[in-house]
Every structure is written in structure tokens, then in C-alpha cells.
Amino acid sequence: MKKKLYIKKIIVVSAFLSCFMAVQGQTLKTKRGLCYNDLNSAELSQLKKSQVSWGYNWAASEENPDIGGEDFSFMPMIWGAGKDFEDMYSRAEAYLASHPEAEFLLGFNEPMMKNNYGGCDLTPGEAAVLWLRLENLAEKYKVALVSPALTWGFEPLTGDGKIYGAPEEWMNAWISEFKTLYGREPRFDYLALHSYMDYPSAVTWFCNFYSDYFKKPVLLTEFCAWDSDQNQTPHKSLEGQISSMTQKVEALEANPNVAGYAWFMSHAEVSKVPFNSIFLAKGVDGSLTELGKIYLQQSRLDKSRWFTAGERIPAYCYVSSSNYNTTVGEKGEDGVRFNTPLGIAVNTDKKTEKTIPLEIGDFTSRRFADYQLRIEESKTYKLTLRYQTDKEQQFFVNADGKEILHSVLVPAKKWTEASFNIQLEEGEHILQLKSLGNAKSVKIVSFLLK
């Protein structure tokens, strides 16, 4: 009996290892995703021409034939258990069988919470019994398997009457239950997390801590600023939500522990707390809120993109900035630092708004943004900056950390252009634009090298 059990364990572990290796090459087109309920063709069109490349709707399948594929991939989810489990399982399998391009399967949604708060109310033991079915499905269709979505619990579960507070309490109990049943730890290739903390530094800590704890890359499958602590404030105004969001997006893009993240959500509150809706109205013409316009187009810090002389370079297309940076700033004794936000905003410049969707709307003192340049010839170039400022402001240009220009921007209430000569050598460079002074309003939309 013991010999048979030992052989069974070897077979199970071998299958687990081969399955894990099969999904190692699966990655998202971009990190940025979206939680949604339904999307019409106009809304989907907006998403397909944005930085958002994937989404999910807490369902096991997607009936809209236009959703799925390279431009906007869909992740099926087996949400929970109970009487609907077999139906969810069958629909997920049917979707994976008919969509070979699908690469991910999401596991149970917030099992440490009850249904009235959005959770699937599963004890670790109940989830352990069912998880092998999800493993088998992921193995059959060679998709990455994403863990049950973790967050903080605060109420007794129906099945065992226990409260699982910190995310690891439920997760460790689930892993232990699975090991008792099957003699090994459960397979999951990505760790799903949900966070509604207001502050970017808290979300960064959350992702890093649990990625390190469970040794898995993170999919932050729900996030926005919506903290229940009344002392927290960013979610209480549209401006605060946008500011918090732009910093979180930049931090998540820069974080190697985060494989992807999804904003909550597509259709939500437009004009009241927490001001988190991407679209203005559901099922209409796809019009975006101000927050939606920014989320869909904000820089993803694309380090494969190199600008060249002669191109008009959008100011929002930076690869690093003072919005979020790990080495500079005024706050963050732990080494993760967030400055006053850059003020990423919808472009107000009529001359460029058709081709450049966003501007940097708060480029005041000590703000900076970095751009990748590939220079083909060593010579003096004219840098033409399109900007606004309410007062005279000092303006700096650095190349690879070395100052190559220190000048001033004269006051301009309307969009205007200023030109400066800078010397650049042939090769690849990080060009940094930086501001210093007492101006209260400085905006930049683009610059051009000739």
C-alpha cells in the first residue's frame, strides 16, 4: 500500500513539473488589463487601440465573438464552487477548446470572503478538493493557471466558521489541505491579488511581499483606490483617484514581480466615490471618462521603443519619471519612493490632440521625465519644446545623467514653443527633461529634435 502511494506521488509530481514548464513562455501582450461585465463594439474598439490588452468578467466563458485574440485577450475564470461548479467547469473547458489562443485560466474569486462582498466563500479544504480539476484543465489545454484571488478576509466563512484575515492565512491553509490530499503542493503559475488600498506605496508593498512569500509572479486582477479606512483620502475625488492611479500604473509597469494588472472597473462610478469608471455610460458609444482616457493611454514604459531625430516625441511616452522612481524623491524611507504626481492628463493642446492623447499637466519644480533616443550622427540638435507655464521656470536637459542644457521657460498662458540647442553624440541615450522653480502650473505635451 505504501509502495503504491509512493509511486502515485512520483507520477503526480512529474505531471505537475511538466505542466509547469509548459506554461513558462506564456506572457501578456501588455501588462495592462481591465475588469468588465459587458462590452459593446464601440467600447471594445476603444480598448483595442489602447495599452489595455486583456480582460476578464468573472465568467467561465465569453459569448461575444469579438472579444479574445491578440488585440484584447480574454481570461476565463472558474469563480467558485457549489451547485454551479460543474457548469462553470464545462463552460471554461468549452471556451479553452474553441479558443487555442487563450493562455490563462483564473481560479476562485476571493474565497476568504462571503458572496455579499464578492467572494466565493470557500474553505481551504473545499477549495483543495476542487483545485485538482482546475490543474487538469490547465494541463490539458496548456494554459497558465492563476491562483485563487487573495485579499484580506474579515468575516467567518460558511463552511468552517473561521475568519482568514491576512491573505497568507487562507492560502497556507489551502496549500496544507491540498498536500494532505495529494501529497504535493498545488500548482499555480501566477498569484492573483486584489487591492483597493489608496496609496501607491501600499500596493507596491502588497505585490512585492506576496510575490516573494509565494515565489510567484503577480497578476493584480482587481485594483483601484477605494480604501475602507476613512482616514484614507485619494478615492474621495476624481482628481485623487486619477493621481493615485497614474502612480500605481507606473509602479506596476516598472515592477518585475508584477506580470499584469486589471483596473476595477469598466463601468462603475462616474461622478461619485470612488470615481473609478472607465466608460461614461454602459452600452452606448464607448465614450471614455477622463480617468478612462488616461488609463487606456498612459505610458507603459516601453523600453523597446527608441525615438530618433525628426520625430515629434509625446511627453507622456517616457520610460521613467518622478511620478514613480526607486532612487529619487522626497518620501519613502524603504527605498520605494513616490513624488508629487506628474499630473498625467488629457491633452488640451488643439494642435496636437488628434495624434497625442495625453499631456504632462503638472511639470512643476523637481519633476522629470526620461526618454530613450537613438542618435545617428554626432552634432548640435535643436530641441523644440511645446509647453505652458504661469511663471518663468528653469528648464534642464540631461543626457545619460550629465547636464547638457540649463535654460528658462518664459511665461506662456497658451501653448507655445521654445527652442534650445543641445549637443548629442552618436548612439543611444537617456534624455531627461527636468523643471525647477516656483511656477504653479507647467504643462508639456511634446518635443522635437532636429
Side-chain angles (χ1 to χ4, degrees):
M1 188 73 175
K2 287 183 179 180
K3 184 176 181 182
K4 287 182 179 180
L5 179 61
Y6 178 72
I7 293 172
K8 182 179 179 181
K9 286 183 178 180
I10 292 176
I11 293 171
V12 170
V13 170
S14 298
F16 164 70
L17 290 175
S18 63
C19 187
F20 176 76
M21 293 177 68
V23 301
Q24 288 301 292
Q26 290 164 330
T27 57
L28 296 164
K29 181 181 176 182
T30 68
K31 287 188 178 187
R32 202 166 307 168
L34 182 65
C35 311
Y36 70 93
N37 285 326
D38 297 299
L39 295 170
N40 66 18
S41 58
E43 293 161 343
L44 188 57
S45 177
Q46 291 278 26
L47 296 174
K48 287 185 175 182
K49 57 187 180 183
S50 77
Q51 302 291 349
V52 175
S53 69
W54 64 277
Y56 76 102
N57 61 358
W58 298 275
S61 61
E62 174 53 75
E63 304 305 320
N64 186 338
D66 294 325
I67 296 178
E70 183 178 351
D71 291 332
F72 186 74
S73 61
F74 173 75
M75 292 188 188
M77 169 185 273
I78 295 181
W79 184 85
K83 59 184 178 61
D84 296 324
F85 177 79
E86 292 301 334
D87 178 63
M88 286 186 283
Y89 190 91
S90 296
R91 288 192 290 118
E93 179 161 28
Y95 184 87
L96 293 173
S98 60
H99 292 80
E101 76 282 358
E103 294 188 322
F104 293 83
L105 175 64
L106 299 174
F108 307 131
N109 188 68
E110 298 181 349
M112 70 294 300
M113 294 178 67
K114 289 184 176 179
N115 296 163
N116 54 323
Y117 286 101
C120 67
D121 191 9
L122 275 179
T123 69
E126 292 167 338
V129 171
L130 295 171
W131 192 255
L132 188 63
R133 298 277 303 279
L134 274 70
E135 289 188 352
N136 293 338
L137 193 59
E139 179 181 7
K140 181 176 180 179
Y141 293 100
K142 298 297 182 284
V143 296
L145 183 57
V146 184
S147 79
L150 302 182
T151 188
W152 276 275
F154 56 87
E155 56 183 344
L157 294 182
T158 301
D160 61 11
K162 294 182 180 180
I163 297 174
Y164 297 89
E168 66 269 25
E169 293 180 24
W170 187 94
M171 192 71 163
N172 285 337
W174 172 65
I175 291 171
S176 178
E177 293 278 2
F178 191 95
K179 287 175 72 174
T180 299
L181 288 171
Y182 303 111
R184 62 166 174 84
E185 292 192 356
R187 170 198 164 188
F188 57 96
D189 308 307
Y190 293 85
L191 180 71
L193 297 177
H194 291 174
S195 174
Y196 291 92
M197 293 180 285
D198 280 356
Y199 293 105
S201 55
V203 177
T204 297
W205 167 84
F206 185 60
C207 292
N208 288 340
F209 179 86
Y210 286 106
S211 176
D212 181 67
Y213 191 101
F214 292 108
K215 308 302 179 188
K216 298 291 181 181
V218 166
L219 281 179
L220 185 65
T221 48
E222 290 184 21
F223 84 105
C224 78
W226 201 356
D227 204 306
S228 59
D229 183 347
Q230 292 306 302
N231 292 321
Q232 312 286 353
T233 57
H235 68 274
K236 294 182 179 178
S237 70
L238 175 60
E239 182 182 26
Q241 184 69 264
I242 290 174
S243 175
S244 173
M245 180 192 73
T246 62
Q247 289 187 294
K248 288 173 184 172
V249 165
E250 193 162 332
L252 293 166
E253 288 287 352
N255 194 336
N257 294 324
V258 176
Y261 56 89
W263 182 258
F264 184 90
M265 64 174 295
S266 60
H267 304 91
E269 298 299 344
V270 173
S271 55
K272 65 179 183 179
V273 172
F275 305 96
N276 62 328
S277 189
I278 293 293
F279 294 101
L280 276 173
K282 189 172 183 178
V284 190
D285 61 358
S287 293
L288 298 164
T289 62
E290 183 180 358
L291 179 144
K293 292 175 182 177
I294 296 169
Y295 184 72
L296 264 59
Q297 299 298 341
Q298 185 180 344
S299 172
R300 60 185 177 91
L301 314 183
D302 184 3
K303 294 190 176 180
S304 68
R305 174 70 189 276
W306 291 84
F307 293 105
T308 59
E311 288 186 84
R312 180 168 291 278
I313 301 171
Y316 79 96
C317 290
Y318 51 78
V319 293
S320 178
S321 81
S322 53
N323 204 29
Y324 162 78
N325 198 283
T326 56
T327 58
V328 300
E330 300 171 2
K331 299 179 181 179
E333 290 74 14
D334 60 355
V336 178
R337 302 170 186 264
F338 295 85
N339 283 2
T340 304
L342 278 176
I344 309 301
V346 177
N347 186 7
T348 58
D349 178 19
K350 299 299 182 183
K351 182 177 179 179
T352 62
E353 65 180 353
K354 290 183 178 180
T355 56
I356 301 177
L358 304 180
E359 65 185 41
I360 294 179
D362 190 10
F363 202 63
T364 48
S365 192
R366 302 180 67 184
R367 310 302 198 274
F368 68 82
D370 297 334
Y371 304 87
Q372 294 188 152
L373 292 182
R374 182 172 287 130
I375 300 301
E376 296 182 355
E377 182 182 358
S378 299
K379 67 176 185 178
T380 299
Y381 290 85
K382 180 186 287 186
L383 185 153
T384 301
L385 180 75
R386 193 159 180 81
Y387 77 98
Q388 287 184 14
T389 179
D390 63 331
K391 293 181 181 179
E392 183 176 286
Q393 187 81 345
Q394 293 185 68
F395 177 63
F396 299 83
V397 178
N398 297 329
D400 307 318
K402 182 180 179 181
E403 184 181 302
I404 60 173
L405 176 72
H406 178 190
S407 189
V408 296
L409 301 177
V410 299
K413 294 184 179 180
K414 296 182 179 180
W415 287 102
T416 191
E417 293 184 347
S419 295
F420 312 91
N421 291 329
I422 58 173
Q423 179 68 32
L424 289 171
E425 302 301 315
E426 178 186 351
E428 293 179 345
H429 302 281
I430 300 297
L431 196 76
Q432 182 179 91
L433 307 185
K434 187 176 180 180
S435 173
L436 185 65
N438 297 317
K440 294 183 179 179
S441 176
V442 183
K443 300 180 179 182
I444 61 172
V445 68
S446 65
F447 63 97
L448 178 69
L449 279 180
K450 278 191 175 181

